[in-house]
Amino acid sequence: MPKENVIHHVLIANRGEIAIRIARAATEAGIATTAIYATDDANSLHVQRADNAVALAGVGPAAYLDIDGVVAAAKEAGADAIHPGYGFLSENAAFAEAAAAAGLTFVGPSPAALGAFGDKANARRLAIECNVPVIPGTDGPTNPEEARTFFKELGPGGAVMVKAVAGGGGRGMRPVTDIDQLEDALARCASEAEAAFGDGGVYLEQLIPDARHIEVQVAADQEGNVVVLGDRDCSLQRRRQKIVEVAPAPGLTEGQRAAFHQHAADLTKAAEYSGLGTVEFLLGGDGTLAFIEFNARLQVEHTVTEAVTGLDLVRLQFDIANGESIAHVTPHAPWGTAIQARVNLETMETDGGARPGGGDIAAFEPPAGPGLRVDHFGYAGYRTSPRYDSMLAKVIVHSPSNDMSDCAAKTGRALSEFRLDGAPSNLSFLQAVLARPEWETYGFDVAFIEREAATLVEAAAAMPRPHFGQDSDEGAAAARLAGAKVDEADPLAVLDHGRAQSSEDASGDFSSEDGYVLQAPMQG
């Protein structure tokens, strides 16, 4: 017998497509919803997709990062729970504690678990205790002298990845192949981490060549049951920012898949974790398997796991928060394949980089059809803001075939039918990625896009979009004047989205990252 629900009204502590995704799942579960919005975000579609909405004080991400303000909004609305989504405060232990102190159920892991995994160095130590392999690295926040010592110990040809201790989403993170560049990389990563997470600590890990990025989706209830819900490949990244994700992870041997799943389950149990989580690994070209981090929240790419398992992972989050057991959750073997492509508002550069863009969306018509889902918050007439993350939509395609190239072709077709006028986007670039011959054998690693950047940009420029045509020059030109001040060395780092305001007013981009009734796949 399911337990009586403790959640009747949830405040969604986020914005955009993920806030819409959560609202839909909550409504299907019979839970009332309240949205929140910064004063400059009142026209975002998520405000209209909840039962109620409460304005926050302030503008930009800072408003969504105000713990006291968000908790006060929940109390004002009469909510008894908070769902943090992803990005913003989703992995903030102090936020979970503040929610609990206010008598609110936090739809996510405990503050202790958030604290354990929010510090990446602590997560490494826990992995070592569980005999989960990790990448050689420094232990905890690392100063320049310690960093140089570690780099030298790697010997000729050695390289490192500088990573934020409290980081995530590719921010506060840089590869270094030359020791003379190390001190600058440390300073830049520390600055980005301080702006994004309020913690400038960084550490080093050895850089693994030819690596793939593999994720394992886990869920755990309050009774200690842990269920592995499948795996994904997220190797198609641009400057440590994912743009295309795949489920299940293709090309793994049975032994590799079993090892990834077992390590993820062991780590989840050891942390006495409760909620939905993602355990991330690297798979080196030489077969090296190593843990990199545990994301104690919903992921942007949860959609592809939903597509191949038939599970509604957000609904599962609510069930766990309500105290229900997941012992009965036994996902079948993945059915077919799924690909997610992130549609970002941006202007492509010739070197494969991108400048965040925006503007007044003149036309917005996402594709539709069998096996196709689009999570978004766009609409014609919406004026986008450079203060927030550039992702506007996610195109998710499911194919009953196990042929990855077939699914890639379907995804490319869907992208060609996406009409988005008035703002520049990466639609053509995504089409170029989906058209690559490497989909036949999934010949991708985390450096693929940067390695092939010039070729991909050239292909994107020539990519036909016969079904709706390219964005208008007038709209693209207007979008390029939207006012984003970009770090030329790394356009996707945490940005000072330069409006004419002082540094005290500038808000960083902390959000990162959804809607529908999920059904179990039909057989046959």
Side-chain angles (χ1 to χ4, degrees):
M1 287 288 293
K3 296 182 179 180
E4 182 180 352
N5 286 357
V6 297
I7 300 175
H8 302 282
H9 184 169
V10 63
L11 178 119
I12 303 167
N14 219 294
R15 67 180 298 276
E17 53 87 22
I18 183 54
I20 295 172
R21 169 74 182 93
I22 294 166
R24 287 176 173 165
T27 299
E28 292 161 16
I31 299 170
T33 58
T34 289
I36 54 174
Y37 60 95
T39 55
D40 63 333
D41 209 19
N43 292 324
S44 179
L45 190 61
H46 77 278
V47 178
Q48 305 300 322
R49 293 294 185 262
D51 300 320
N52 182 37
V54 176
L56 300 170
V59 299
Y64 294 95
L65 289 165
D66 179 356
I67 292 177
D68 291 339
V70 173
V71 171
K75 300 299 290 183
E76 176 187 338
D80 50 30
I82 287 180
H83 193 308
Y86 38 61
F88 292 134
L89 295 168
S90 60
E91 294 182 272
N92 190 305
F95 180 49
E97 289 174 348
L104 301 166
T105 298
F106 185 77
V107 185
S110 68
L114 287 170
F117 290 128
D119 185 319
K120 308 306 180 187
N122 282 341
R124 278 174 53 87
R125 286 190 284 270
L126 180 59
I128 293 169
E129 292 173 8
C130 296
N131 295 315
V132 175
V134 300
I135 303 170
T138 58
D139 187 19
T142 304
N143 61 43
E145 182 179 350
E146 293 169 332
R148 290 183 68 86
T149 298
F150 177 76
F151 197 112
K152 290 177 181 178
E153 289 174 350
L154 296 177
V160 299
M161 183 70 78
V162 181
K163 301 177 72 173
V165 167
R171 294 175 171 87
M173 187 174 173
R174 272 181 173 74
V176 181
T177 57
D178 184 340
I179 195 169
D180 291 336
Q181 300 171 356
L182 183 59
E183 190 165 344
D184 179 65
L186 289 169
R188 292 174 66 84
C189 288
S191 176
E192 292 168 10
E194 179 65 37
F197 314 112
D199 183 343
V202 296
Y203 69 102
L204 270 61
E205 287 182 342
Q206 183 178 3
L207 193 64
I208 304 297
D210 305 319
R212 288 175 57 188
H213 183 125
I214 307 295
E215 298 182 348
V216 178
Q217 182 73 68
V218 296
D221 62 24
Q222 298 172 24
E223 299 172 359
N225 296 303
V226 174
V227 180
V228 174
L229 301 176
D231 47 68
R232 306 182 282 259
D233 186 292
C234 305
S235 299
L236 283 164
Q237 305 177 9
R238 184 183 56 196
R239 294 178 177 166
R240 280 78 62 197
Q241 299 281 341
K242 304 167 190 173
I243 60 172
V244 178
E245 298 101 346
V246 177
L252 300 183
T253 66
E254 290 185 11
Q256 287 171 332
R257 199 179 305 276
F260 281 126
H261 289 197
Q262 189 61 57
H263 289 319
D266 290 345
L267 195 55
T268 305
K269 290 177 181 177
E272 298 182 352
Y273 189 82
S274 175
L276 204 68
T278 297
V279 192
E280 302 194 356
F281 300 89
L282 288 182
L283 177 62
D286 60 357
T288 299
L289 183 162
F291 166 78
I292 48 176
E293 64 184 28
F294 190 118
N295 284 312
R297 55 170 167 82
L298 188 69
Q299 294 275 95
V300 181
E301 57 273 21
H302 75 278
T303 58
V304 288
T305 296
E306 291 184 323
V308 298
T309 63
L311 295 171
D312 184 328
L313 297 183
V314 180
R315 179 66 178 269
L316 188 60
Q317 286 186 295
F318 282 117
D319 290 345
I320 293 170
N322 271 319
E324 294 188 23
S325 171
I326 63 169
H328 65 286
V329 177
T330 53
H332 53 72
W335 183 66
T337 55
I339 294 175
Q340 173 179 277
R342 305 190 189 193
V343 178
N344 299 327
L345 299 181
E346 59 191 27
T347 301
M348 300 302 304
E349 304 289 350
T350 56
D351 64 352
R355 292 175 178 269
D360 294 309
I361 296 178
F364 186 86
E365 298 175 17
L372 175 58
R373 161 186 173 185
V374 182
D375 290 4
H376 69 85
F377 64 107
Y379 61 89
Y382 177 52
R383 180 168 182 77
T384 68
S385 170
R387 289 190 172 101
Y388 301 102
D389 187 84
S390 64
M391 189 177 73
L392 180 70
K394 303 183 305 192
V395 174
I396 306 100
V397 174
H398 176 252
S399 170
S401 168
N402 291 323
D403 182 348
M404 189 60 66
S405 61
D406 175 68
C407 193
K410 292 178 184 292
T411 308
R413 164 73 188 201
L415 292 167
S416 77
E417 296 180 0
F418 201 134
R419 185 178 185 187
L420 174 55
D421 296 339
S425 76
N426 66 340
L427 281 167
S428 294
F429 186 81
L430 290 171
Q431 284 181 267
V433 172
L434 271 299
R436 292 290 299 209
E438 286 84 359
W439 285 97
E440 290 284 349
T441 57
Y442 201 75
F444 301 114
D445 60 45
V446 295
F448 175 83
I449 287 182
E450 291 179 27
R451 215 171 36 242
E452 298 291 322
T455 301
L456 287 167
V457 170
E458 183 179 355
M463 186 62 62
R465 301 212 32 236
H467 306 293
F468 280 113
Q470 301 290 347
D471 297 341
S472 69
D473 291 340
E474 180 181 352
R480 284 194 291 272
L481 299 175
K485 182 189 296 179
V486 180
D487 176 346
E488 294 181 357
D490 188 351
L492 291 182
V494 173
L495 305 177
D496 173 10
H497 287 299
R499 294 139 330 264
Q501 57 186 19
S502 69
S503 59
E504 288 82 358
D505 294 331
S507 297
D509 173 8
F510 306 119
S511 178
S512 162
E513 322 230 346
D514 234 19
Y516 69 153
V517 180
L518 269 170
Q519 298 177 346
M522 295 177 64
Q523 301 299 322

